[in-house]
Amino acid sequence: NATCFVPFTQTNEFVPVAISLSPRCMFMGSSMEECCGYFAAFVSCVAFGTFAVPIKCAAVRKVDVDPLVLQTYKIGMTLLTSWLVLLFGVPFTFTPWGFVSGLFMVPGGTAGYFAVQNAGMAVSQGIWSSLKVLVAFCWGILIFHEPVHSKLGTTLAIALLMVGLAGVSIFAAPRTSTSSPQEEPLLPDVEEQNQPEIVDNKDYLGFLKRRHVGLLGAVIDGAYGGSVLVPMHYAGPKTTNGLSYVMSFAIGCSSVVTMVWVLRLLFNSVQGQSLRVGYDRLPSLHVTTIGPYAALAGLIWSLGNVSSILTVALLGEG
């Protein structure tokens, strides 16, 4: 606020008047805080929509990569980059709610990678994006009762967005289910022309095809993904919200993905009746083959994650 002097007409004296100089944004009269939230949401959408592109390259598709391996790379990059917020003056804080976020993030993200591998990136992105929007909207409006300009208008906008994303998913689907589960590129890859076509008609549970299970993975990712940042609302003091939650989120997700690896090792060891056999049965990290691509995917996703946390902190979950 600032004070200026304006003339008072009856006495010709100047009277001090307080005026507000709070920064405003040119976008629909929103405050600067809201504009930052909208920009963060835009960055989040771009990053989340493109992070899976590196794992669709020919070098990665030639290797049978376990989805947990791809998820591990993503969480690893998230942990490495989370400390960068300290450079912006954000104090180090930790809340156990980050572990709860990890319980949503790790299974959902792993299912998402499985969906991309088996159902294709276009259709998987459309499915999980629609569900994430719906789940986050339900949390924000129905559970947290976040204020909106119009509940009816917001509901209609969400419905139109979901219809559009569903349409993308439907028309991005391949014509037949007996061909390769990977979507057909617009331009042929010269390197792939010399590779034999991979056709997988394997049944799951006796009736589900590989593509169907991939679509189920996208549904799981959407259902879990829309709740990933809900624990931030219960974190308590403001010192653990916003950018301060980034480190708690990364530590929590890293703890959960480590726990999943340990459980998988124990499961393999029980089956093989030997800890050595259990270790040998763990999926390979393929560091030299997919390492750079998976790390790039994780870096892009980490950027989207930070932007998403800022969006929720500034604009709300819904």
Side-chain angles (χ1 to χ4, degrees):
N1 295 330
T3 301
C4 67
F5 293 87
V6 296
F8 187 63
T9 54
Q10 293 182 355
T11 60
N12 291 326
E13 296 178 352
F14 287 90
V15 180
V17 177
I19 61 175
S20 175
L21 295 179
S22 60
R24 306 292 292 179
C25 178
M26 296 302 293
F27 181 71
M28 299 178 62
S30 303
S31 67
M32 186 61 65
E33 183 179 87
E34 291 176 330
C35 285
C36 291
Y38 290 128
F39 178 75
F42 173 76
V43 175
S44 176
C45 289
V46 173
F48 283 157
T50 57
F51 81 92
V53 172
I55 69 170
K56 295 292 291 182
C57 67
V60 178
R61 292 170 64 181
K62 292 176 184 177
V63 182
D64 186 16
V65 186
D66 191 284
L68 180 60
V69 172
L70 296 172
Q71 181 72 346
T72 301
Y73 277 105
K74 182 168 70 176
I75 298 301
M77 291 303 299
T78 301
L79 180 64
L80 290 176
T81 56
S82 65
W83 304 99
L84 295 178
V85 298
L86 298 176
L87 300 179
F88 296 92
V90 178
F92 174 78
T93 55
F94 177 76
T95 170
W97 286 105
F99 181 79
V100 181
S101 289
L103 293 176
F104 286 110
M105 171 60 202
V106 174
T110 304
Y113 274 126
F114 181 83
V116 171
Q117 290 177 327
N118 294 277
M121 186 173 69
V123 63
S124 299
Q125 286 274 9
I127 291 175
W128 76 48
S129 297
S130 302
L131 290 176
K132 285 180 180 179
V133 169
L134 178 61
V135 172
F137 173 77
C138 291
W139 275 107
I141 304 301
L142 302 180
I143 305 300
F144 299 130
H145 303 289
E146 295 173 347
V148 294
H149 294 292
S150 171
K151 288 188 176 181
L152 177 61
T154 304
T155 303
L156 291 176
I158 294 295
L160 289 175
L161 177 61
M162 292 187 62
V163 169
L165 292 173
V168 170
S169 301
I170 293 173
F171 291 103
R175 294 180 183 273
T176 61
S177 60
T178 57
S179 60
S180 172
Q182 308 294 345
E183 66 269 14
E184 182 181 354
L186 296 178
L187 296 176
D189 192 327
V190 177
E191 190 173 331
E192 290 184 354
Q193 289 179 349
N194 298 325
Q195 299 295 328
E197 183 181 5
I198 300 176
V199 180
D200 188 355
N201 294 322
K202 180 180 178 181
D203 289 336
Y204 293 84
L205 301 179
F207 61 94
L208 292 177
K209 299 295 184 181
R210 178 179 177 181
R211 174 178 168 79
H212 297 154
V213 181
L215 295 177
L216 179 60
V219 172
I220 295 175
D221 186 17
Y224 276 72
S227 303
V228 164
L229 295 181
V230 169
M232 188 175 70
H233 289 267
Y234 299 100
K238 294 183 178 180
T239 54
T240 53
N241 284 326
L243 284 180
S244 299
Y245 191 72
V246 172
M247 290 170 286
S248 297
F249 179 89
I251 295 173
C253 290
S254 300
S255 301
V256 174
V257 78
T258 301
M259 181 180 65
V260 172
W261 277 101
V262 171
L263 292 176
R264 191 159 180 174
L265 172 63
L266 294 177
F267 178 79
N268 292 341
S269 300
V270 171
Q271 278 194 328
Q273 299 181 350
S274 170
L275 185 61
R276 178 63 182 179
V277 173
Y279 177 81
D280 292 336
R281 289 182 178 179
L282 290 176
S284 173
L285 295 179
H286 300 286
V287 177
T288 58
T289 307
I290 72 165
Y293 303 100
L296 177 60
L299 182 62
I300 298 174
W301 188 91
S302 180
L303 174 63
N305 179 60
V306 173
S307 302
S308 179
I309 289 176
L310 278 177
T311 302
V312 173
L314 296 175
L315 300 181
E317 182 72 29

